Amino acid sequence: MKRLGIIIIAVVVILGGVFWFVNSSQGGKTSQHDKIQVVATNSIIGNMVEEIAGDKVTLHTIVPRGTDPHEYEPRPQDVQATQEADILFHNGLNLETGGSGWFKKMYQNAGKADNKEVFSVSEGVQAKHLTDKGKENELDPHAWLDIQNGIKYVKNIEKILIDKDPDNTKTYQQRTKAYINKLSELDKSAKTKFNNIPENKKLLVTSEGAFKYFSAAYGITPAFIWEINTESQGTPEQMRNVLAKIRATKVPSLFLESSVSPKTMEKVSKETGLPIYSKIYTDSLAKKGQAGDTYYGMMKWNLDKISAGLSK
């Protein structure tokens, strides 16, 4: 009987091994990889995926919080995650593919050159262009700074998740609906705040020209030192231009993005006598545990700080 029991156990082990091998060879997933693998290029997109998918996916975000996504050097773990990805979400609008083109090089080297797993979350957004001379045909990538565009991102992410993982459709739909309602309420309340700011104060002065979408959404005028972080910063001509715009208004405050050096904006502050009212977020969320560490939190922080600073 003892010998028979040993034989039965051995047969079960062998059959289990055979089943695992067959399942793996046919594309089945083990218990460690039973979720779809999602890669997001930056923290903003990654957080949107978290809000929609919850624990239904395994997520890897490439560009660390606080790092500029315009120019980035992928790490070995980024390449590996990209190779294994079922879905690869990027912003599009020339954000990750501009400059050195690091994103396109990375996913092509990772075997995703056919683009079957690569999706732009900005699909359907009405793109704005850069305004510097000679750059008028280049796209401005910062569409997420208008919450209505952020909602388009969310809907695009939801659609792709459902296409790739239909078993969890109900979860994605329910979480997306709640998330969009939350974002819509924030957008609506912010527009009321900005409507109450005097017109001669409605100038948003930042280092990078990342707030064109934001300014159009909330009825203010953007002014900046340089247009995009990949170009020269704080040249004499750039300084003359932004100082002239400031002096033509009664704007009470300046703002500094969290991902850039404060030196140039501090010079503007010294020249004009205006205070830097607050840091604000553009290309990255805040570090986890801080205000602005989610897309909703980032937008609420920006909206609250900018409206308060311009209302002084």
Side-chain angles (χ1 to χ4, degrees), residues 3-222:
R3 184 179 178 185
L4 179 60
I6 293 172
I7 293 172
I8 291 171
I9 292 171
V11 170
V12 169
V13 171
I14 292 169
L15 289 175
V18 171
F19 176 80
W20 178 89
F21 176 81
V22 171
N23 187 53
S24 298
S25 66
Q26 291 178 348
K29 297 182 179 181
T30 67
S31 59
Q32 291 181 329
H33 300 288
D34 58 354
K35 300 176 182 179
I36 60 170
Q37 309 293 302
V38 178
V39 170
T41 52
N42 64 51
S43 56
I44 296 166
I45 299 171
N47 178 246
M48 290 177 174
V49 173
E50 290 172 335
E51 294 287 350
I52 298 165
D55 62 358
K56 299 300 183 183
V57 305
T58 299
L59 174 67
H60 174 81
T61 300
I62 295 175
V63 181
R65 292 169 184 248
T67 302
D68 188 345
H70 294 272
E71 298 284 352
Y72 179 70
E73 189 66 36
R75 304 160 296 176
Q77 58 264 43
D78 300 325
V79 177
Q80 182 179 351
T82 300
Q83 289 172 335
E84 297 173 355
D86 300 300
I87 300 172
L88 179 55
F89 286 125
H90 68 110
N91 182 75
L93 301 178
N94 212 33
L95 177 65
E96 307 94 341
T97 51
S100 65
W102 66 267
F103 171 67
K104 188 173 183 180
K105 292 175 185 176
M106 184 195 69
Y107 76 71
Q108 287 181 337
N109 291 337
K112 307 290 186 182
D114 58 9
N115 288 328
K116 289 182 179 179
E117 295 92 10
V118 181
F119 302 95
S120 168
V121 298
S122 63
E123 189 72 29
V125 165
Q126 186 172 353
K128 294 185 180 298
H129 291 78
L130 302 185
T131 56
D132 277 355
K133 188 175 181 180
K135 295 180 178 290
E136 295 90 348
N137 292 325
E138 295 183 28
L139 298 176
D140 185 326
H142 304 94
W144 63 85
L145 290 172
D146 174 354
I147 291 179
Q148 289 302 316
N149 286 337
I151 289 172
K152 289 181 181 178
Y153 282 30
V154 168
K155 290 179 178 178
N156 288 331
I157 293 169
E158 176 200 26
K159 180 181 181 299
I160 298 304
L161 288 173
I162 290 173
D163 287 347
K164 292 285 187 177
D165 186 24
D167 289 346
N168 287 309
T169 294
K170 187 175 181 180
T171 295
Y172 299 144
Q173 289 176 336
Q174 289 176 339
R175 292 179 67 94
T176 297
K177 182 179 179 181
Y179 188 37
I180 289 176
N181 287 342
K182 184 179 177 182
L183 291 172
S184 296
E185 284 298 316
L186 176 62
D187 186 50
K188 182 179 177 181
S189 64
K191 284 173 177 171
T192 300
K193 288 182 181 180
F194 280 95
N195 284 339
N196 294 327
I197 298 173
E199 288 299 321
N200 61 4
K201 293 184 177 182
K202 287 185 175 181
L203 186 74
L204 175 56
V205 184
T206 58
S207 300
E208 184 189 17
F211 282 84
K212 298 184 193 73
Y213 295 94
F214 181 100
S215 297
Y218 303 107
I220 55 180
T221 301

